[in-house]
Amino acid sequence: MPATDFDIEIVLRESDRAVTERASHPVAAAAWDDADVRDVLKMILEAIDRAKHPNGPERPASLRGFSWIVEPFESAQGKPSNRQVVIAIEIPMGAAVAGPFDIAQDRLTAMIGRAIAHSAASDRVH
């Protein structure tokens, strides 16, 4: 299966312009599992960090402290797609919309929920 290439459109807090970064994940969205979703979420969060700190060191992302939603992709003509979706993320330093992804909205929503829950469980200190 081909890779999933997608755009990440980022708007930082206190900024009136968007920055777009092109990203790629080696697995087609239709074949994603929870680990693929974790990887894509981290890619989006890391892209926001790069936009905020373009000359800073690469920092790993944690799947905590952000709001997210999966929405239908709206074409340039303003029509929502019934086959493609985007992931919108908001964190204190800004927001990003990534996609489009060729995957069912309910399936991706469930996988993101599991990926975040799994990450939170593995981040706990006992």
Side-chain angles (χ1 to χ4, degrees), residues 14-71:
E14 302 176 13
S15 176
D16 59 354
R17 67 180 190 88
V19 176
T20 302
E21 183 174 311
R22 190 76 174 154
S24 184
H25 185 69
V27 178
W32 282 354
D33 61 18
D34 293 358
D36 293 307
V37 170
R38 268 193 308 275
D39 292 345
V40 168
L41 291 173
K42 287 181 179 185
M43 291 170 70
I44 298 167
L45 293 169
E46 290 165 354
I48 297 170
D49 190 59
R50 277 192 298 278
K52 179 73 174 177
H53 308 285
N55 299 319
E58 190 77 19
R59 299 183 311 175
S62 174
L63 299 186
R64 294 183 299 180
F66 65 94
S67 299
W68 61 274
I69 191 167
V70 176
E71 290 287 329

Side-chain angles (χ1 to χ4, degrees), residues 63-121:
L63 299 186
R64 294 183 299 180
F66 65 94
S67 299
W68 61 274
I69 191 167
V70 176
E71 290 287 329
F73 173 67
E74 199 168 283
S75 70
Q77 294 80 25
K79 297 178 183 176
S81 168
N82 60 355
R83 292 192 58 225
Q84 293 185 315
V85 297
V86 295
I87 301 170
I89 290 179
E90 185 174 358
I91 61 174
M93 74 172 72
V97 176
F101 303 106
D102 191 12
I103 187 170
Q105 182 177 0
D106 57 345
R107 180 169 173 241
L108 182 55
T109 297
M111 290 188 337
I112 290 174
R114 288 192 306 267
I116 291 171
H118 179 266
S119 181

